[in-house]
Amino acid sequence: MTQAIVYTADGIDRYDDLERAKRAAGTTWVRAETDDHDELQRVADVFGIHPLSVEDIHRDVRPKTELFPNHTFVLVKTASLRRGETTFDEELRTKQVGLFIGSDWLVTLSVSEMPAVEVVWDNIENGESRARRFGPDFAAYRVVDRVVDDYYLLLDDVETTIEAIEDGILGGPDQTILEALNAVRRDLLSFRKVVWPTREAVNVLARGDPDEVRDATEKYYRDVYDHLVQLADLTETYRDLARGARDIYQNAVAQSTNEVMKTLTVVATVILPLTLVVGVFGMNFSGGPFNMPELGWTYGYPAIMLGMAAVSFVLLVYFRREGWL
Amino acid sequence: MTQAIVYTADGIDRYDDLERAKRAAGTTWVRAETDDHDELQRVADVFGIHPLSVEDIHRDVRPKTELFPNHTFVLVKTASLRRGETTFDEELRTKQVGLFIGSDWLVTLSVSEMPAVEVVWDNIENGESRARRFGPDFAAYRVVDRVVDDYYLLLDDVETTIEAIEDGILGGPDQTILEALNAVRRDLLSFRKVVWPTREAVNVLARGDPDEVRDATEKYYRDVYDHLVQLADLTETYRDLARGARDIYQNAVAQSTNEVMKTLTVVATVILPLTLVVGVFGMNFSGGPFNMPELGWTYGYPAIMLGMAAVSFVLLVYFRREGWL
Amino acid sequence: MTQAIVYTADGIDRYDDLERAKRAAGTTWVRAETDDHDELQRVADVFGIHPLSVEDIHRDVRPKTELFPNHTFVLVKTASLRRGETTFDEELRTKQVGLFIGSDWLVTLSVSEMPAVEVVWDNIENGESRARRFGPDFAAYRVVDRVVDDYYLLLDDVETTIEAIEDGILGGPDQTILEALNAVRRDLLSFRKVVWPTREAVNVLARGDPDEVRDATEKYYRDVYDHLVQLADLTETYRDLARGARDIYQNAVAQSTNEVMKTLTVVATVILPLTLVVGVFGMNFSGGPFNMPELGWTYGYPAIMLGMAAVSFVLLVYFRREGWL
Amino acid sequence: MTQAIVYTADGIDRYDDLERAKRAAGTTWVRAETDDHDELQRVADVFGIHPLSVEDIHRDVRPKTELFPNHTFVLVKTASLRRGETTFDEELRTKQVGLFIGSDWLVTLSVSEMPAVEVVWDNIENGESRARRFGPDFAAYRVVDRVVDDYYLLLDDVETTIEAIEDGILGGPDQTILEALNAVRRDLLSFRKVVWPTREAVNVLARGDPDEVRDATEKYYRDVYDHLVQLADLTETYRDLARGARDIYQNAVAQSTNEVMKTLTVVATVILPLTLVVGVFGMNFSGGPFNMPELGWTYGYPAIMLGMAAVSFVLLVYFRREGWL
Amino acid sequence: MTQAIVYTADGIDRYDDLERAKRAAGTTWVRAETDDHDELQRVADVFGIHPLSVEDIHRDVRPKTELFPNHTFVLVKTASLRRGETTFDEELRTKQVGLFIGSDWLVTLSVSEMPAVEVVWDNIENGESRARRFGPDFAAYRVVDRVVDDYYLLLDDVETTIEAIEDGILGGPDQTILEALNAVRRDLLSFRKVVWPTREAVNVLARGDPDEVRDATEKYYRDVYDHLVQLADLTETYRDLARGARDIYQNAVAQSTNEVMKTLTVVATVILPLTLVVGVFGMNFSGGPFNMPELGWTYGYPAIMLGMAAVSFVLLVYFRREGWL
Ligand SMILES: [Mg+2]
Ligand SMILES: [Mg+2]
Ligand SMILES: [Mg+2]
Ligand SMILES: [Mg+2]
Ligand SMILES: [Mg+2]
Ligand SMILES: [Mg+2]
Ligand SMILES: [Mg+2]
Ligand SMILES: [Mg+2]
Ligand SMILES: [Mg+2]
Ligand SMILES: [Mg+2]
Ligand SMILES: [Mg+2]
Ligand SMILES: [Mg+2]
Ligand SMILES: [Mg+2]
Ligand SMILES: [Mg+2]
Ligand SMILES: [Mg+2]
Ligand SMILES: [Mg+2]
Ligand SMILES: [Mg+2]
Ligand SMILES: [Mg+2]
Ligand SMILES: [Mg+2]
Ligand SMILES: [Mg+2]
Ligand SMILES: [Mg+2]
Ligand SMILES: [Mg+2]
Ligand SMILES: [Mg+2]
Ligand SMILES: [Mg+2]
Ligand SMILES: [Mg+2]
Ligand SMILES: [Mg+2]
Ligand SMILES: [Mg+2]
Ligand SMILES: [Mg+2]
Ligand SMILES: [Mg+2]
Ligand SMILES: [Mg+2]
Ligand SMILES: [Mg+2]
């Protein structure tokens, strides 16, 4: 679906003919969201957009800003998590939108619907006359700003997950936590590949390299850039926290094994010698004064039982002092 | 609450009208500490401060220095630890203050009370005529210096905690230590995100990039910069020490498990064979000369007991030599 | 085998004499694929190619772009995995091709057959008149693009392997997985040494440093460069995933050991004390009222059996609550 | 204590009055070693040294070179280990000396006695006329060279310690080794914070940035710089070796646990089944032809004993083949 | 031993007098290999070589290129492994050679015999007239090339060792492997300190910074530089492989412990309950109908034996399904 509007501070018009829209006075915005490559290419041809750029809209390429003689091409990606998927590349779902900023026109191309574009488009079309006072570089900023703002939601999700993992570990490590930890780690790796190049792409705009970005708009791109720097920082921080959670997991398992072993050792050390003792008095030696005369002593049995109780008690006191119990 | 003073080496006056304060001869300092966005914006408008900068005061952004045509914007953060909190972002509590340095005026904006600003303000207002001889860049230095000095207290806390953790590990590793170690690690990650960008922000001032920083003041900003380099170093060092403590913890647990296992193995290796022996003589074979004649031998019982004692002794000597006991 | 063609947008001719082919109007492409060093050197001499460059075709050197007074030398490598080999350098099989780009000629040298070269050659020779409209820099781009596209297949293989390893770990860690993990790790190390320098080599062309790369062709090299940046990213990501898989492996083993130990400890803790009890009543004390009178009590045996059952039950309930069962 | 000398190739004089010493022909060297801040400041005032620089002598700041209009300020630190201390900052004892190099004067300030300064001072005063031919930049080089030479002694100590630790691990890992390893790690972290900034500070002199460093002296500073590069390398190497020792420790403990477990398992696997067998023949079933007739067989006992011996033998052979014994 | 030759494309002469050799037409090469410092210094004085450079020949300094007004000083190191030594610094044996390249002379200084120098010297002296056509920069290249070529032999050794270690681990981890792994790690650390600075030193020559390196020779130094980049890459790769081997070792030990524990647990879980059962029937309760009447049942013994066999069978089937056997 391709739509075209031309707007000024005073008003806004819809156009069907792209050529006429391009020539009309005011800021022209052509928005095509379709998986029909030919339609995208037709729009591109009207504005002198290179076929390799249109191909980039279809393929999974890194976010970037490229400067052309008569326009600037900005490619950004929306990102959302899809927990539960099983192959790597489906976990972080990204969709890309190409923004082509001319001197007085903006073309936005994508292969599917982009809510971030829609919101800004509606804003300009329906109400906000303030936004119409600025040129295509400002409209592009609005779209990019929206895409970047949504990254925070994604990282909030990640943080919640890491906190849940940490709590889970301390409540008893198990296999599920291990898998959750690995999934977070992979999400962050994927997100990193979105946020770092976006930061570089927006920096080109914030520095005002392209002619199409007016001086007054640079400040706004710098604000988005600040956000992207912070998002990159957060991504590294969460990677570090995930590593920390892995360490806690490892240590918690080792600690648990250590305590299980102590329990086992205490039980074995107390019981096994006693079992030996009672085994001795279960032997069948007999005949003659040297063969187990104690079996016939009047207080033999009580004495041995008390002796065993005393030894157990001493051992248990010892283990408690050592911190094994 | 918004306050305004104008001072020279000779004296100091309070103003209610910001416009008049701005135009008055001498150094003008306007200080607004309020969560009322409109009040902050009103102050900003008087001095030509961009609305995006005022927004930065409200939001959690990285420390930075930004150069504007008629002033320099420095954003710094105070930092303090809040142990015992459970969500990540509440652990390191930061508060931000914006310093806007003009040619002969200083505006400080924050959403809550800033003791670091208050101390410098009182100093200029109440007593110290020396500070009044210098311009707004020096007053701003005094504020930044104070904020940075407090970072040392925070790192002292961290060091104390790491030392306590190390001592705790050697006294016997447990789950509490693991959690404390993880908390320190997270604190350092958060603090790092404060100190590194502050270093860059102060470096811009120390290099004298902004016109508002006089040559004579650069040396003072360089001194703060030296402190920030050292703080960044310390942060990395403490991160490394925390990693070291984690390693000791892991090794201490592994070592303990090893020793527990040795104890268990010694007990089992000595007792189990003896238990087998006494089991043998508890069997009920009888009838005929080949069925357990030893049970009837005169010295059978003493002989078997001595034999078992001898075997135990040999095994214990062996284990001691191997270092298992 | 050495072949030479000269083509223009209008047509194409084969030549046997290299000197004449070089002088003919149109784009000259000489393609030599032979392990006969002398033949390669003869071709090189015709076009003024340095003997050290010809040696590079034979030896295992890093991909690179070198600028010479009258031509540009690009060395790229095809890469494929050979699982099952046992020495390191045989694991990633690479083959190199040298592309020498002159003002109106292209020389491609390799010591064995290069499918990537063949495909482009056939394309120009047999059909595609479009490709003939462009010069030698475009033909070279087609070859490099093809080599780089094949890298994606290799990384797809690696990803499949890592996913299989992760699935394998969660289904039960064993030695085979460990070896597969190590092999992937080594493959990625080797591939990294191909992709990083290729990226740098193509960047030189994309920036348009050499005179032989026309302005219109730069855009195409930049597209290849984008792919190489992404491939370098993917390589790092897979390295990170391999590290993650190693961590899961370690943790899964530790977790399993922990659970095995819990089982053992539960069994020992329940059974050993009961064994002691029955051992007590297997002792042969007799004679006198204090020696095991309980053996003669009417309900002695049922009482002791019920007692033991009760103790077992209590212990099992306790262990289940502790999560050991 | 403050001392002043003025020397030329021809002779040397002592001065009490700093002002006169400064103005006298020849190289003036004023050396103050005192914890009396006022005395240091008085010396500084004579030579136009900034109060912030004097403060740096007192505080723990990083080594650095700062260029002032009329002199160059170099701050270096001596370093020595103090094993046995328990808090972090007491482990690596550092002392700082400030060298202020003017066109024809040198001021050295420190808060305590500096042997490195004393040695060079005595050398110039008592004997070596060669050193007197050069200016203050050469005398400063001599001091810095001496400070840096002593760093090698410190790293020799560290190397000896790491070697001792490695030997200790292979002889049987224990808790003491763990603590020694952690101490070395901390020492290296602290030393790193001395040697890296010193390297940068000396590099400024070796590049000849300050006017006070003559062309002929640069070569000497470059020699010190070479040493500092090597010291920085060594520090990283020792950090890596300490990490290696930690790995060996971990692996040695894991290996030991593995072997302990094998011993236990062999013992249990051989003895427990035999114990079961003898337990069987200790049961008291009787009456009727089906109840343990074997107890009455003529060769029952010898047969069962031989059977058990045979089973034990087979198991032991099996375990030896598996490498468990 | 000091030798001097002067050669041109046409011929070669030996000289005893260094001064005359220096002045003679053609390329002068003076080669001194002696631990007599004075002799080295005498040679140096003839060619205006700085005493600090001569000292560098004696001391263990990093490879480097230094530019002097009338010559270029290149210091490179041969490297060979000495397995079996026990202190760190003896492991990688390095020998250094200083190459001083003048406009038409070359001086090579070393404290012991250098085969790399000897081979090039013999080549020029005895046969190869081609090499005589080039100047001292080319002769120096030949020496450096030879030194660097030998580094490949050293890394081949390292690779062989790592492969042997990996094979060893999978065949059963033991202490010897741990020590071998640590030794390789240390070798690579030491070699890294040779190859990285050599790379930088050769880069200076390849870029043609020194006047003494002719344009035609730069290409040859660039070839050596390519090798050094590859050697640096290989060193990092082998370090990574050594880390990988350490991981496999750790995992193999953990895996083995896990399997040992499973064996033990299976044995204990099957045998201990049975032992309890037979213990029960070895108790001596008697008298009255409730005290162990089963001991007198006709099929008591066969029933209990069959029951125990059945339980064992069920447990073994269960463990096999769980993968514990
Ligand atoms: Mg997956
Ligand atoms: Mg996935
Ligand atoms: Mg935003
Ligand atoms: Mg930011
Ligand atoms: Mg990064
Ligand atoms: Mg980090
Ligand atoms: Mg928390
Ligand atoms: Mg949070
Ligand atoms: Mg301060
Ligand atoms: Mg950093
Ligand atoms: Mg630093
Ligand atoms: Mg570090
Ligand atoms: Mg292999
Ligand atoms: Mg190989
Ligand atoms: Mg492609
Ligand atoms: Mg890309
Ligand atoms: Mg990188
Ligand atoms: Mg990475
Ligand atoms: Mg581990
Ligand atoms: Mg300490
Ligand atoms: Mg301390
Ligand atoms: Mg020295
Ligand atoms: Mg060095
Ligand atoms: Mg370094
Ligand atoms: Mg390193
Ligand atoms: Mg050694
Ligand atoms: Mg040594
Ligand atoms: Mg070579
Ligand atoms: Mg190379
Ligand atoms: Mg590298
Ligand atoms: Mg790497």
Side-chain angles (χ1 to χ4, degrees), chain E residues 311-325:
Chain E
V311 168
S312 305
F313 181 76
V314 167
L315 281 172
L316 289 172
V317 167
Y318 171 78
F319 285 128
R320 170 157 294 266
R321 284 215 186 135
E322 289 289 291
W324 290 30
L325 281 176

Side-chain angles (χ1 to χ4, degrees), chain C residues 10 17 27 34 57 96 127 200 263:
Chain C
D10 301 324
D17 182 341
T27 301
T34 172
I57 307 299
Q96 38 209 348
E200 292 320 301
T263 305

